[in-house]
Amino acid sequence: MRGTTAFFLLSLAFLLGTLLATAADVSQEAQLIKFMSSRALKRLRSRPTAANEAEEESDPWADPDTFAHLPERCKGLPSGGSKLADRILGLPGQPPRVNFRQYSGYVTVNEEHGRELFYYFVESPYGAASKPLILWLNGGPGCSSLGYGAMEELGPFRVNPDGTLRRNKYSWNNLANVIFLESPAGVGFSFSRNTTDYDTVGDRRTAEDAYVFLVKWLERFPEYKGRDFYIAGESYGGHYVPQLATVIMSMNRFPGPALLPRINLQGIFFGNPLLDDYLNGKGYLEFLWSHGVISDEAWARILANCTFTPSDDWPCFVAAHAFQKGNIDRYNIYAPVCLTPSKNGTFYPSSDSMPGYDPCSYHYVEPYLNNHAVKSALHARVDTKWTGCSDDLAWNDAPEFMVPTIKRLIKNGLKVWIYSGDFDSVCSLTATRFSVNDLNLAITSKWRPWYTPDSEVGGYVQQYQGGFTFASVRAAGHLVPTFQPKRSLVLLYSFLKNMLPPADIPDSWRSDFGF
């Protein structure tokens, strides 16, 4: 019987075992799994009532009056710095002939609490004055856009094992000017002087703080006011990105007395997102079964015991955990993994089967960002111990279903693209397809392959009513710009040009990309 002491203790032990097994893992994968396990535990302890379920299915971000207090928060709030002071003269270990400007520093988003968000901004080396502005948000919740997004995925540099930097040929700043925001406070170098903020954080405050950050950042960089602006992200960014877009669109229409600068939001572009807790669980398990990780017998037991709705109970939980995955990277089930340190203390990849990809890269990024000289160059607080993901945040609000929010953004005319690396099991292509189907949009351009400038199939794409676009990225894991940097850049190019990636590559594309 659900709710008995024996049941609760058993479920708690099982879940805590999962958490403890990943306690030393600071990756985004571990952070997302811990978050989802915590939510599963809450559901096991208290089955949702019909009223709760109806509330969960509604869109809690639909009322624009929810954000009526934001003009007051933005009015007269000092940003805490200046553009000149934030200019990076050079990062330790960076290669010669860096031909773009870099900035980093803090923006105060709540003066009373002393809440400050840290950003790293790179301009494009080619025509920065005419290129759009992109804000990149990593997920978690609670993981760093600087350490992951900038240093391991789409930023201009990658960190070498010896602590030097090398250029990323496929950096997104080839096509746009890019801000990497460490959000919320408590992540990376971002902080609050009132530590109770770490116990009261959630989706809503994260979105509101990010909006205040943008307003103040644009005061610091006024040349970007009115520039075409896009929000991009991944993973738990499936919450962050559409929620921030909702705040911006609401505030752009806000008729209040304190007129705020209109943020020229053109679209959102996010990958391998967490959109629906239940469908994500179904997609995760179906993906593993379809890729040979789960046996037919185990899959049959899952289907016999799980409905993938709030009504699922302990038998489903047991069936869904009764198989062995082995030592694979759940973010890319075909990628090599980083093995435990050898006798001399160095980490090493299990194989070199993916040229250009190093699964141990985080172990170079963390010491690099904790180097005193690097912190000084970044204008970060030198007494901060930087980590990739924060364990200090108690997440208080997060809708379990993001489809209503995304559907409303599409209805209101925003360009929305979702992409999915097809080797990721955690936020799988399978799961995302379930959520895309729940949008109930008519197909306007049927599923077909798209190509890279070297005539490889980069993935598959389909477009829907209202311009909504869903694309897969072939042979990519959860961190698409890490596993397939060229393909991610081609897809971004298509998004910014507002056209589907082509079924064949025109010669003009080859010249644009330098291939």
Side-chain angles (χ1 to χ4, degrees):
M1 180 70 182
R2 189 182 191 346
T4 65
T5 302
F7 165 78
F8 174 70
L9 290 177
L10 184 59
S11 63
L12 182 61
F14 199 100
L15 280 167
L16 287 179
T18 301
L19 298 179
L20 291 173
T22 58
D25 190 345
V26 292
S27 70
Q28 291 187 97
E29 174 192 353
Q31 193 80 352
L32 184 60
I33 290 171
K34 283 189 285 186
F35 173 78
M36 293 169 67
S37 296
S38 174
R39 296 234 287 201
L41 177 58
K42 290 177 182 177
R43 287 197 294 268
L44 285 170
R45 292 176 65 180
S46 178
R47 182 195 299 250
T49 64
N52 293 147
E53 291 178 23
E55 182 179 347
E56 286 171 352
E57 292 174 359
S58 66
D59 181 3
W61 295 74
D63 184 3
D65 291 339
T66 303
F67 311 109
H69 63 288
L70 284 180
E72 198 62 34
R73 274 194 62 187
C74 296
K75 187 174 63 175
L77 177 66
S79 66
S82 69
K83 176 181 174 180
L84 181 62
D86 288 356
R87 178 76 185 271
I88 297 172
L89 300 180
L91 291 174
Q94 77 177 31
R97 296 181 294 280
V98 171
N99 58 343
F100 57 86
R101 287 176 292 189
Q102 309 174 71
Y103 301 84
S104 62
Y106 291 95
V107 171
T108 303
V109 295
N110 186 296
E111 191 172 15
E112 180 183 357
H113 283 210
R115 206 156 61 236
E116 301 193 23
L117 299 186
F118 185 85
Y119 78 93
Y120 171 60
F121 174 53
V122 290
E123 291 190 319
S124 177
Y126 317 108
S130 61
K131 281 189 165 58
L133 179 66
I134 294 176
L135 175 71
W136 173 266
L137 300 170
N138 273 90
C143 292
S144 166
S145 298
L146 171 63
Y148 291 107
M151 294 297 180
E152 294 191 45
E153 300 186 65
L154 56 125
F157 302 119
R158 299 280 175 87
V159 182
N160 297 315
D162 64 359
T164 60
L165 302 177
R166 68 184 185 277
R167 287 290 291 267
N168 172 18
K169 179 180 178 182
Y170 302 107
S171 172
W172 285 16
N173 78 323
N174 286 309
L175 301 178
N177 307 287
V178 187
I179 309 170
F180 300 90
L181 178 64
E182 294 198 300
S183 174
V187 173
F189 290 125
S190 296
F191 70 97
S192 176
R193 292 183 175 85
N194 185 335
T195 56
T196 62
D197 282 347
Y198 305 147
D199 299 323
T200 56
V201 70
D203 280 20
R204 189 169 297 277
R205 187 205 289 162
T206 299
E208 291 182 356
D209 279 1
Y211 174 78
V212 175
F213 165 84
L214 284 170
V215 171
K216 303 314 294 184
W217 188 90
L218 288 170
E219 292 298 322
R220 195 177 298 186
F221 291 81
E223 67 271 28
Y224 285 95
K225 289 184 178 180
R227 191 80 61 95
D228 284 355
F229 175 70
Y230 300 91
I231 313 170
E234 71 191 10
S235 191
Y236 199 76
H239 286 227
Y240 290 163
V241 172
Q243 288 167 349
L244 176 56
T246 297
V247 177
I248 291 172
M249 293 183 76
S250 295
M251 297 313 298
N252 281 348
R253 298 170 179 150
F254 192 77
L259 294 178
L260 298 173
R262 186 182 185 279
I263 297 174
N264 190 21
L265 179 64
Q266 297 294 305
I268 58 178
F269 180 72
F270 53 108
N272 292 79
L274 176 64
L275 298 177
D276 182 315
D277 280 13
Y278 299 102
L279 292 181
N280 194 75
K282 181 182 180 183
Y284 167 69
L285 294 167
E286 185 168 322
F287 177 92
L288 292 179
W289 167 70
S290 65
H291 288 73
V293 178
I294 295 177
S295 71
D296 289 349
E297 295 75 20
W299 179 236
R301 284 192 295 271
I302 290 168
L303 293 180
N305 288 282
C306 298
T307 63
F308 302 103
T309 67
S311 64
D312 279 335
D313 213 329
W314 182 245
C316 171
F317 188 83
V318 172
H321 289 78
F323 61 91
Q324 296 183 8
K325 293 180 291 293
N327 185 25
I328 60 173
D329 181 351
R330 285 177 282 185
Y331 265 9
N332 184 334
I333 66 170
Y334 299 116
V337 296
C338 184
L339 298 178
T340 54
S342 57
K343 290 182 180 179
N344 64 6
T346 58
F347 293 84
Y348 59 98
S350 59
S351 78
D352 58 358
S353 59
M354 293 181 65
Y357 171 65
D358 186 345
C360 300
S361 58
Y362 176 80
H363 299 289
Y364 323 142
V365 171
E366 183 179 30
Y368 181 81
L369 292 178
N370 278 304
N371 180 290
H372 188 281
V374 173
K375 291 179 183 178
S376 296
L378 288 169
H379 319 117
R381 297 201 306 174
V382 295
D383 59 346
T384 301
K385 184 182 187 304
W386 185 91
T387 58
C389 297
S390 173
D391 284 326
D392 298 329
L393 303 178
W395 215 257
N396 288 276
D397 66 279
E400 292 184 338
F401 311 100
M402 288 303 302
V403 166
T405 302
I406 294 168
K407 191 167 185 176
R408 181 170 36 76
L409 291 173
I410 297 167
K411 184 178 179 181
N412 288 336
L414 188 67
K415 179 168 66 173
V416 178
W417 283 37
I418 295 176
Y419 60 90
S420 186
D422 58 10
F423 284 177
D424 174 28
S425 70
V426 177
C427 293
S428 68
L429 172 64
T430 310
T432 305
R433 292 174 98 160
F434 291 147
S435 294
V436 168
N437 286 337
D438 278 352
L439 289 170
N440 291 319
L441 298 173
I443 297 170
T444 58
S445 179
K446 292 183 178 180
W447 190 255
R448 63 158 174 82
W450 60 269
Y451 286 83
T452 64
D454 47 12
S455 300
E456 286 188 341
V457 173
Y460 298 83
V461 65
Q462 187 156 285
Q463 197 163 58
Y464 298 77
Q465 172 189 352
F468 170 72
T469 301
F470 176 49
S472 72
V473 183
R474 191 168 67 92
H478 189 79
L479 316 178
V480 169
T482 298
F483 293 110
Q484 291 292 342
K486 183 191 299 185
R487 293 174 188 176
S488 84
L489 194 64
V490 171
L491 199 60
L492 176 68
Y493 181 90
S494 299
F495 169 74
L496 294 176
K497 293 287 187 181
N498 199 26
M499 61 185 190
L500 292 180
D504 190 16
I505 296 291
D507 289 339
S508 62
W509 279 50
R510 291 188 173 91
S511 62
D512 284 348
F513 282 93
F515 297 136

